[in-house]
């Protein structure tokens, strides 16, 4: 009886030691997790990495574009206002041409060029055609400002679901390992669970900055739209005042 109990204790100790050894073989470092991942989970991780690089590129591009537009518009507005106040139409157009990155300059230039093409006479027909030119320019500039924002919206909305797909695959792998190894120890499922957690976390890390950047840049675009509308209205008012002086 004593020998049987000792044999059972020794067998239990060996199994416990093997269990701990199995647990320690799972590395939770980035490289260890990557090596332990199956190719489906790796594919999802690669997709999320591409999305993160793409969203980062859009963020940098929009930030530089909006910063340049804001800076040049602040310099452009008082200069063109002074030129128009002195009735220097050609000078105002030249100032606009020197500030090509300004959203205000693009819109105002379209109205001034249409006004000049009509002979520079402030008639009702000229004012109407200039107003239509301003509207077309606003639509074009608005499209330029929104370029790339759809990418941020798409990545922000899909990245969590891509990570969730990795979660499902990781959990399926964990149950498959349990069925294959016929053991319920944590070491048997640690790899699959780690895949699930890593892909989920990665999906959230990609989505959260993309959504925040989308909301920020959308707010900037709306502010630029208001500035363009105000500039167009002021230019039309200028044409109307010129017409009243005739």
């Amino acid at each position: 009886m004593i020998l049987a109990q000792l044999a059972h204790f020794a067998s239990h100790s060996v199994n416990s030691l093997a269990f701990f050894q199995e647990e320690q073989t799972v590395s939770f470092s980035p490289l260890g997790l990557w090596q332990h991942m199956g190719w489906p989970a790796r594919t999802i991780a690669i997709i999320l990495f591409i999305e993160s690089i793409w969203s980062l590129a859009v963020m940098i591009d929009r930030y530089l574009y909006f910063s340049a537009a804001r800076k040049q518009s602040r310099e452009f507005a008082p200069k063109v206002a002074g030129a128009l106040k002195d009735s220097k139409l050609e000078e105002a157009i030249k100032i606009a041409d020197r500030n090509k990155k300004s959203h205000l300059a693009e819109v105002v230039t379209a109205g001034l060029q249409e006004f000049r093409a009509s002979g520079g006479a402030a008639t009702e027909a000229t004012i109407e055609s200039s107003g239509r030119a301003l509207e077309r320019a606003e639509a074009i500039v608005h499209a330029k400002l929104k370029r790339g924002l759809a990418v941020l919206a798409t990545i922000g909305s899909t990245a969590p679901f891509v990570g969730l797909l990795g979660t499902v695959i990781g959990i399926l792998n964990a149950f498959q390992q349990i069925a294959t190894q016929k053991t319920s120890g944590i070491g048997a499922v640690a790899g699959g669970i780690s895949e699930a957690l890593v892909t989920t976390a990665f999906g959230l890390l990609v989505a959260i900055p993309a959504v925040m950047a989308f909301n920020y840049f959308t707010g900037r675009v709306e502010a630029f739209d208001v500035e363009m509308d105000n500039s167009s209205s002021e230019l039309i008012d200028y044409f109307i005042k010129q017409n009243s002086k005739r």
Side-chain angles (χ1 to χ4, degrees), residues 162-225:
V162 175
L164 182 60
L165 178 60
T167 300
V168 174
I169 293 175
I171 293 174
L172 289 176
N173 288 338
F175 282 110
Q176 185 179 8
Q177 290 173 6
I178 292 175
T180 302
Q181 300 177 10
K182 296 181 180 180
T183 177
S184 59
I186 189 64
V189 298
I193 294 175
S194 65
E195 288 184 19
L197 296 178
V198 167
T199 53
T200 301
F202 197 8
L204 293 175
L205 287 174
V206 172
I208 292 173
V211 172
M212 294 177 64
F214 173 78
N215 292 333
Y216 171 74
F217 289 129
T218 299
R220 293 287 299 271
V221 170
E222 292 176 355
F224 287 158
D225 287 341

Side-chain angles (χ1 to χ4, degrees), residues 115 121-132 236 239-240 243:
F115 184 77
T123 62
E124 292 185 1
T126 300
I127 294 173
E128 290 179 1
S129 63
S130 298
R132 291 191 295 270
I236 292 297
F239 293 152
I240 293 174
N243 185 31

Side-chain angles (χ1 to χ4, degrees), residues 12-32:
H12 181 72
S13 299
V14 170
N15 290 335
S16 300
L17 180 60
F19 175 75
F20 277 103
Q21 288 177 346
E22 185 180 13
E23 281 188 335
Q24 291 175 355
T25 57
V26 180
S27 174
F28 290 95
S29 65
L31 181 59

